[in-house]
């Protein structure tokens, strides 16, 4: 009688685990060092680990979780406490973004399309996330893979973003839905085009980390 092989815990090789382990070890040394001393230490580690990092020396708060750092590109933005970044499918965040406490970015996750296989034995899928300039994320917002958020958007506290957000849009709820547009932003702009180029509004703002 044929026996079913035990499920694999992951499709990733030993090298991926070693790299992740080294990063998590180093990151663990600075993750909870109190602000303001810990902020430049965290900036140094993320600067070496991210694909691109232009974070300021300060406003990189404690308790930030990072997985797949080589898939992350981030501009001069602010990371508050307990932010979660899973860069498996790629995360790009522009300048002057305020990322509130507990915000999570999941650029990928387990597939579950094969009912004859355990979910943990199914492959991961990549879902890139792109965020333009001057975007505000409220407390505990969640951004799922395959989403683009346009320049100047506002993501309400606790919102779960599962589809593109146009520039200047204010969204809230689960799943996130349009509430209204900020003054000065025309409706029905393309989110992806906005996220691909810097915002004139953001470049001219008097942001505290600018």
């Amino acid at each position: 009688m044929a026996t079913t092989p035990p499920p694999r815990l992951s499709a990733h090789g030993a090298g991926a685990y070693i790299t992740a382990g080294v990063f998590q070890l180093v990151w663990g040394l600075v993750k909870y060092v109190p602000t303001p001393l810990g902020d430049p230490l965290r900036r140094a580690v993320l600067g070496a680990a991210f694909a691109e990092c232009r974070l300021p020396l300060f406003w990189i708060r404690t308790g930030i979780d990072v997985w797949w750092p080589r898939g992350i590109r981030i501009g001069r933005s602010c990371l508050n406490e307990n932010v979660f970044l899973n860069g498996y499918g790629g995360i790009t965040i522009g300048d002057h973004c305020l990322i509130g406490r507990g915000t999570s970015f999941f650029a990928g996750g387990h597939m579950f399309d094969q009912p004859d296989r355990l979910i943990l034995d199914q492959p991961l899928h990549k879902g890139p996330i792109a965020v333009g300039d001057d975007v505000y994320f409220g407390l505990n917002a969640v951004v799922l893979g395959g989403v683009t958020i346009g320049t100047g958007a506002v993501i309400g506290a606790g919102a779960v973003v599962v589809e593109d957000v146009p520039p200047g849009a204010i969204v809230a709820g689960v799943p996130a839905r349009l509430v209204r547009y900020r003054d000065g932003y025309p409706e029905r702009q393309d989110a992806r085009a906005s996220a691909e180029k810097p915002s004139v509004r953001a470049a001219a703002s008097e942001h505290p980390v600018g």
Side-chain angles (χ1 to χ4, degrees), residues 149-181:
I149 299 174
T151 293
V154 174
I155 312 301
V160 178
V161 181
V162 299
E163 58 186 24
D164 291 355
V165 177
I170 300 173
V171 300
V174 182
R177 294 286 183 262
L178 177 67
V179 176
R180 64 179 177 85
Y181 284 87

Side-chain angles (χ1 to χ4, degrees), residues 134-136 151-154 167-170 180-186 201:
D134 191 31
V135 176
Y136 174 73
T151 293
V154 174
I170 300 173
R180 64 179 177 85
Y181 284 87
R182 294 174 59 196
D183 292 343
Y185 283 90
R201 178 188 295 260

Side-chain angles (χ1 to χ4, degrees), residues 77-80 83 92-94 96-105 129-143 147-150 153-159 161 165 171:
S77 293
C78 307
L79 299 177
N80 279 291
V83 167
T92 301
I93 298 173
H96 310 296
C97 294
L98 287 168
I99 302 174
R101 181 187 180 103
T103 298
S104 298
F105 298 84
I129 294 172
V131 178
D133 296 338
D134 191 31
V135 176
Y136 174 73
F137 294 88
L139 180 74
N140 292 327
V142 176
V143 182
V147 163
T148 297
I149 299 174
V154 174
I155 312 301
V161 181
V165 177
V171 300

Side-chain angles (χ1 to χ4, degrees), residues 13-157:
Y17 281 110
I18 293 172
T19 301
V22 170
F23 169 75
Q24 294 299 333
L25 178 63
V26 176
W27 183 242
L29 297 176
V30 302
K31 182 176 179 179
Y32 291 107
V33 178
T35 295
L37 175 61
D39 291 29
L41 295 176
R42 286 184 282 275
R43 171 61 176 81
V45 175
L46 295 181
F50 283 179
E52 180 181 357
C53 180
R54 293 183 288 111
L55 290 166
L57 284 178
F58 296 95
W59 213 330
I60 308 171
R61 301 299 192 235
T62 59
I64 298 168
D65 282 319
V66 180
W67 290 94
W68 306 103
R70 294 304 298 171
I72 299 173
R73 300 176 181 273
I74 187 167
R76 290 188 60 79
S77 293
C78 307
L79 299 177
N80 279 291
E81 293 85 357
N82 303 325
V83 167
F84 178 83
L85 298 162
N86 181 328
Y88 181 70
I91 298 172
T92 301
I93 298 173
D95 293 330
H96 310 296
C97 294
L98 287 168
I99 302 174
R101 181 187 180 103
T103 298
S104 298
F105 298 84
F106 291 83
H110 273 282
M111 300 181 69
F112 48 84
D113 298 334
Q114 303 174 50
D116 57 334
R117 299 177 66 187
L118 296 173
I119 293 175
L120 64 80
D121 195 33
Q122 297 189 38
L124 297 173
H125 69 86
K126 294 184 177 182
I129 294 172
V131 178
D133 296 338
D134 191 31
V135 176
Y136 174 73
F137 294 88
L139 180 74
N140 292 327
V142 176
V143 182
L144 299 183
V147 163
T148 297
I149 299 174
T151 293
V154 174
I155 312 301

